Amino acid sequence: MENGTGNSTNYFNLKELNHATHALDRNQKTYSNVLQCIGNTPLVKLSKIPKEEGLECDIYAKCEFLNPGGSVKDRIAYRMFLEAEKKGILVPGKSVIIEPTSGNTGIGLALAAAVRGYRCIIVLPEKMSDEKVNTLKALGAEIIRTPTEAPTMSPESNVMVAKRLSKEIPNAVLLDQYNNVCNPLAHYDTTAEEILWSMDDDVDMVVIGAGTCGTISGVAHKIKERCPKCVVVGVDPYGSILAQPEEINESDVQMYEVEGVGYDFLPKVLDRSVIDKWIKTEDSTSLQMSRRLIKEEGLLCGGSSGAAMWGAMQAAKSLKAGQRCVVILPDNIRNYMTKFISDQWMEARHFKPLPVNDKIWWWNKQLSEDIIKPCSSISPDCTVAKALALLHKTGDTLLAVLNDQKSIKGVFTTDNARQRLANLSASTGESLDKFIVKKYYKVNIDNKPTLGEVSRILDISPYVVVVKTEEYIEKPLGTITSEDLMHYITTNGNHMNGNCKA
Ligand code: PMP
């Protein structure tokens, strides 16, 4: 069942809606459950980064990563939950919550479902981190993953799969964060109230990353009422169309690494009329800023926090000494422990330089084709059984799965096949499609990768795929494992630096 809350003519007339009483009581001694601890997050002044960036104004971080589920989305999840219970749409012990999300709304809903006793199904794209998936599972949620590249309006997207399942599963309730007015309303009533309370209703700029846009729309509506001079800045990654929907063409919708922000459609909870300025961001500078927020300011935040802060560093150049800018840091480090928190993960994407290692003779040596072990390729139409037989015969680590243009679509590995067969209802008679590993590490020989780079990737992956670009087509050359690299080192090294010849 879909919960279409609000009507479109006066959808953003948030002032006229029912408001949750909001007590800014930071001294409560005990809480009846963890859901009571959502919100009232601290506003912390940055001490180093703004100065280093040459800013004169003060920058404050709204630490949403300190919410119980680890993100700003706890607020809307709980608000949608309470409203639906009040209206009898959600019935404890009977209703099944199902929601498409980039993970954090899912964690917020799973948290509420765990405390109040509901079954909860979360549908999220494959791009989103395994850390989010493991957190969701630990909270008792069931997970369905959808292809990252599926456009939102296609039947395979997380939004459409959740919609379909909500019609098929008895007693399913889709709270629908993209359309539910409780999303912006939660921020209108709480996040914005807290910012205004901390700033004594005097703030010059707020900078907020845009996903569903519930945070920015809700905060902006309240702030424009109480502090009209405040400039509201939206932050949107390249690859998303939220900032420039009038001028989009197909190539504007692209994959980016930062999670939780950006979309290929305009959610109903976005009100562009209250956003004064947009800043576009890219992965590299966003994630480097997240690392700086952690290292220099001690704020254990996620990737979209870095994007918002990088955006703030650009937008706040117009502010003078004494003026104040608030930046929302939406989620926490936990979601990304194996992603941008890993140096090797950052280096593999060229978001961070490789460590210098002059003591090892092979570190700066360019990867040559003789180290690469050629791999066989296969079409996605083949069966899993055929692919497994081929791997057994060749003794290869993996098979490259090629599309019709002979470009690499992904890889097939025995390990992944075992995981899929053991944990999902799948059979070896099926075509390879569902078994293709799309998240794998590769280096392009045309970029002249070094053995040091290959070695750093092997720290976090059992193999590296080597590709070559020919007429815009990425062709697989083969793979390298630690064994291949070690064989090269031991057969080419010398005694002087500890790498003896065999
Ligand atoms: N950052 C992260 C990490 C998120 O999960 C989200 C929610 N998708 C946002 C930013 C954006 O919040 P909103 O959906 O309110 O625009």
Side-chain angles (χ1 to χ4, degrees), residues 100 123 151-165:
V123 190
T152 302
M153 295 312 158
S154 75
E156 298 85 38
S157 77
N158 68 328
V159 170
M160 291 308 189
V161 168
K163 270 201 176 145
R164 176 173 56 76
L165 290 176

Side-chain angles (χ1 to χ4, degrees), residues 72-73 102 104 177 183 187 209-216 259-261 263 304 330-331 336:
V72 66
K73 304 297 283 195
S102 59
N104 283 323
Q177 58 170 334
N183 178 354
H187 298 293
T212 66
C213 299
T215 311
I216 190 161
E259 296 183 31
V261 280
Y263 273 107
S304 68
D331 77 344
Y336 312 101

Side-chain angles (χ1 to χ4, degrees), residues 177-390:
Q177 58 170 334
Y178 302 100
N179 292 294
N180 193 324
V181 79
C182 290
N183 178 354
L185 195 56
H187 298 293
Y188 180 89
D189 281 351
T190 70
T191 323
E193 282 289 346
E194 291 163 26
I195 293 170
L196 288 163
W197 181 82
S198 299
M199 296 270 110
D200 298 314
D201 279 16
D202 182 9
V203 54
D204 298 286
M205 184 178 275
V206 288
V207 183
I208 303 175
T212 66
C213 299
T215 311
I216 190 161
S217 303
V219 168
H221 266 273
K222 175 62 70 66
I223 286 195
K224 295 274 173 193
E225 279 170 25
R226 294 252 293 275
C227 183
K229 70 167 182 180
C230 181
V231 178
V232 175
V233 180
V235 172
D236 183 43
Y238 285 109
S240 154
I241 62 131
L242 294 172
Q244 72 291 6
E246 311 83 11
E247 315 150 13
I248 48 162
N249 55 59
E250 240 173 62
S251 64
D252 289 334
V253 179
Q254 279 166 24
M255 155 69 187
Y256 44 86
E257 293 285 356
V258 174
E259 296 183 31
V261 280
Y263 273 107
D264 61 349
F265 74 108
L266 296 185
K268 190 172 176 184
V269 297
L270 163 60
D271 184 1
R272 289 173 50 84
S273 72
V274 285
I275 301 166
D276 301 303
K277 191 180 162 85
W278 288 91
I279 303 258
K280 295 292 281 185
T281 54
E282 50 189 45
D283 284 335
S284 155
T285 41
S286 299
L287 298 174
Q288 284 164 16
M289 182 57 84
S290 297
R291 294 290 298 258
R292 282 178 72 189
L293 284 166
I294 295 166
K295 191 172 178 198
E296 298 180 37
E297 306 282 351
L299 299 167
L300 298 180
C301 61
S304 68
S305 301
M309 192 56 76
W310 187 87
M313 291 299 123
Q314 317 312 308
K317 282 183 184 139
S318 61
L319 298 182
K320 300 194 173 51
Q323 290 193 292
R324 300 187 296 179
C325 168
V326 170
V327 186
I328 292 191
L329 305 190
D331 77 344
N332 79 16
I333 191 172
R334 177 204 65 210
N335 285 340
Y336 312 101
M337 297 308 281
T338 60
K339 295 188 97 179
F340 78 88
I341 300 303
S342 150
D343 285 345
Q344 287 90 335
W345 186 96
M346 290 286 278
E347 291 158 17
R349 288 158 184 76
H350 302 123
F351 297 160
K352 193 176 189 295
L354 279 179
V356 178
N357 206 336
D358 291 333
K359 291 202 179 85
I360 297 178
W361 67 268
W362 49 268
W363 193 260
N364 297 319
K365 251 182 139 1
Q366 204 175 307
L367 172 64
S368 53
E369 295 206 12
D370 56 314
I371 311 177
I372 305 163
K373 193 195 272 173
C375 64
S376 307
S377 54
I378 195 161
S379 145
D381 306 328
C382 286
T383 62
V384 175
K386 190 171 171 197
L388 288 170
L390 185 58

Side-chain angles (χ1 to χ4, degrees), residues 74-90:
D74 288 0
R75 296 179 187 263
I76 72 133
Y78 191 39
R79 182 64 179 263
M80 293 195 301
F81 206 96
L82 285 180
E83 194 67 19
E85 271 193 343
K86 205 163 86 189
K87 289 189 174 147
I89 295 168
L90 271 182

